[in-house]
Amino acid sequence: MNLPKEVTIIEVGPRDGLQNEKNLISTEDKIAFISKLKSSGIKEMELTSFVSPKWVPQMKDANDIISACLDDNRNFVLAPNRKGIDLLYQTDCKAVAVFVGVSESFNKKNINKSTKESMEDLGPIITELKDKGYFVRACISTSFYCPFEGKVSSEDVVALCSQFVQFGVDELSVADTIGMATPQEAFFLFKSLKEAFPNTLLTAHFHDTRGMALANVFAALQAGVDRFDTSAGGLGGCPFAPGATGNVATEDVVFMLAQMGIETGIDLDKLVEAVKVIEPHLSRGIESKYFGLNT
Ligand code: HMG
Ligand code: MG
């Protein structure tokens, strides 16, 4: 078996986890959640997004979240366009996640542009960010299936990633947005990406819509991936991807890895405490296995 000794977890709960939550969560409660997550040992995290507050009202307190939660670790803010980047420049945050969908229909629904238009906008923005010393992560949505167009070709994913690598991104986060990938598909796509882009950080982002996310994590590990986006409590979903449910739960991934002797540096008890902080404010229950067995 091809298994790493250590894995980096990128916690996306405060962003992906909450962006689709029906209850408007107070800034104070989000800050308490983030602070508990950080105390569990998480070192990389998506804090929030600079997106239109009309499109995603839950993220409208991005500035306050950034002011309260920035620390010396890697804290990402999502931004899809020039306006988002200009807002980012007014903060002290030095890590940004841009995002685009491989499939046209999804990209149009998510950010109101074709994939080609988004890439034309993002090229000069990424060059500028790199010149200014920012860490840039590119999130690639619908890398396996699109909710509107069905199966997405792996050649299209590799081609889009290749453009991002030419723009100079530090990291590719490749996503199964609607949780339809099988472990076989996950293995082959991540193996191709590892081979194609050996000098760029590669992260896998799985949603657990059909219960295949942990199996997909294992498949991606076999393909050489050692970075995973996960969400505490298994919260998550994109408001513009019908049928997408939560991300793979951080505590389930950390537990599985720990049982296999793979280090993440994350304390599971403290992670459970973080989920307990956000749970009372959510419109849905926590479905992660580890949380259910340990509360
Ligand atoms: P639009 O309506 O075409 O944009 O939306 P616009 O340029 O016409 O602007 C409309 C209004 O939004 C204006 O305000 C702008 O100032 C404002 P108004 O004049 O009406 O008061 N605006 C912004 N405000 C804050 N930050 C910005 C920003 N840009 C414009 N960056 C837009 C285009 C991109 C804004 C919109 O489509 C949008 O906000 N989309 C965000 C969608 C989103 O957040 N999706 C979820 C994140 S992606 C995801 O979850 C997938 C991922 O997890 C991986 C995976 O699982 O696949 C990453
Ligand atoms: Mg996602």
Side-chain angles (χ1 to χ4, degrees):
M1 265 189 267
N2 177 25
L3 294 173
K5 288 199 167 47
E6 287 173 19
V7 154
T8 301
I9 294 292
I10 299 91
E11 170 63 42
V12 299
R15 193 281 302 171
D16 200 331
L18 297 184
Q19 69 185 10
N20 207 18
E21 168 54 45
K22 287 187 197 72
N23 295 344
L24 208 54
I25 301 187
S26 74
T27 306
E28 199 183 18
D29 291 330
K30 288 179 194 167
I31 293 169
F33 178 44
I34 292 168
S35 158
K36 277 277 180 194
L37 285 169
K38 283 180 179 283
S39 73
S40 77
I42 287 166
K43 296 277 189 288
E44 301 199 29
M45 192 183 301
E46 287 184 356
L47 289 182
T48 183
S49 319
F50 279 128
V51 292
S52 164
K54 288 182 192 136
W55 286 58
V56 189
Q58 189 72 257
M59 297 288 113
K60 71 177 177 199
D61 55 2
N63 265 315
D64 294 333
I65 297 290
I66 297 166
S67 308
C69 301
L70 274 190
D71 59 12
D72 292 339
N73 293 321
R74 192 172 284 151
N75 301 278
F76 291 102
V77 174
L78 251 73
N81 57 8
R82 170 53 67 185
K83 166 110 192 191
I85 299 299
D86 287 343
L87 290 168
L88 176 85
Y89 287 156
Q90 289 163 37
T91 73
D92 292 326
C93 180
K94 291 287 176 217
V96 62
V98 297
F99 55 100
V100 78
V102 184
S103 90
E104 291 292 337
S105 325
F106 172 74
N107 203 61
K108 194 90 186 134
K109 288 262 193 316
N110 198 34
I111 46 180
N112 205 17
K113 283 198 173 123
S114 71
T115 304
K116 188 164 175 280
E117 284 167 338
S118 294
M119 294 305 280
E120 281 165 7
D121 286 357
L122 288 175
I125 287 176
I126 291 168
T127 308
E128 179 185 295
L129 284 162
K130 287 311 304 167
D131 286 347
K132 288 176 187 279
Y134 282 75
F135 184 100
V136 182
R137 149 182 170 95
C139 300
I140 326 285
S141 291
T142 58
S143 294
F144 294 90
Y145 289 88
C146 165
F148 313 105
E149 296 176 22
K151 178 81 183 132
V152 169
S153 98
S154 53
E155 286 79 14
D156 288 351
V157 181
V158 175
L160 198 69
C161 288
S162 171
Q163 272 185 276
F164 274 123
V165 171
Q166 280 162 31
F167 294 160
V169 300
D170 299 280
E171 179 189 10
L172 297 163
S173 167
V174 175
D176 179 21
T177 309
I178 55 171
M180 264 189 82
T182 64
Q184 215 172 15
E185 288 168 319
F187 176 80
F188 285 114
L189 181 61
F190 281 105
K191 191 163 178 290
S192 312
L193 293 168
K194 265 278 171 202
E195 281 164 11
F197 311 112
N199 301 319
T200 306
L201 292 174
L202 180 64
T203 302
H205 178 116
F206 293 117
H207 284 261
D208 200 28
T209 318
R210 290 167 183 78
M212 289 195 279
L214 268 186
N216 286 338
V217 168
F218 187 68
L221 284 169
Q222 295 291 313
V225 175
D226 60 0
R227 295 174 59 84
F228 293 91
D229 290 351
T230 65
S231 171
L235 312 178
C238 175
F240 309 102
T245 58
N247 292 75
V248 66
T250 308
E251 57 274 25
D252 287 344
V253 174
V254 169
F255 177 71
M256 180 178 87
L257 295 173
Q259 292 296 104
M260 297 196 297
I262 301 172
E263 268 300 321
T264 59
I266 296 173
D267 181 310
L268 273 164
D269 291 340
K270 289 190 177 152
L271 201 49
V272 167
E273 291 306 313
V275 179
K276 281 187 188 160
V277 165
I278 201 70
E279 185 187 23
H281 308 293
L282 302 171
S283 58
R284 49 171 271 200
I286 300 294
E287 287 167 16
S288 84
K289 295 282 185 288
Y290 189 85
F291 188 79
L293 289 168
N294 290 281
T295 44

